[in-house]
Amino acid sequence: MTPSTVPELIPLCTLEMTLAEPIVVGEGPSGLRLVYEVLEGTVEGDRLSGKALGSASADWIAVSGSVASVDVRATIGTHDGAVILAQYRGRTVVGGPTMSPHLRCAPVRDR
């Protein structure tokens, strides 16, 4: 690729969530399963801002060893009145000195 054809990635927004204590589902083939309900959430960005709506958002997590696979779904009300169902998946390290509170992933937008 030449420099002119390299795509530029521009972050859409930052999503911050306050989570309830986990619901422990238990061990399964993918590891320990946990569900975290979202108590509140905010979306901030140059192109998108708003907040999580109602209790229609949660994180589903499977922990295997030191890796957590997450599946997050959030219903977001935007600053201009639109409603978005956002979904994203990703992985992060859990436990130990390298544990990160941040998850970087690519969301899928329903509409």
Side-chain angles (χ1 to χ4, degrees), residues 65-96:
S66 62
V67 176
S69 298
V70 299
D71 178 0
V72 178
R73 299 174 192 195
T75 307
I76 299 168
T78 67
H79 66 285
D80 59 357
V83 176
I84 298 172
L85 170 61
Q87 302 176 10
Y88 57 91
R89 293 180 176 194
R91 291 195 171 98
T92 190
V93 175
V94 295

Side-chain angles (χ1 to χ4, degrees), residues 13-65:
C13 61
T14 298
L15 173 62
E16 292 188 15
M17 297 181 288
T18 302
L19 305 176
E21 290 296 315
I23 299 168
V24 179
V25 178
E27 290 286 340
S30 299
L32 175 64
R33 292 203 174 266
L34 306 165
V35 177
Y36 288 87
E37 293 177 301
V38 176
L39 299 176
E40 63 181 357
T42 58
V43 178
E44 295 293 333
D46 292 338
R47 298 178 292 150
L48 179 65
S49 62
K51 64 179 183 172
L53 296 178
S55 57
S57 303
D59 297 353
W60 290 266
I61 299 176
V63 179
S64 180

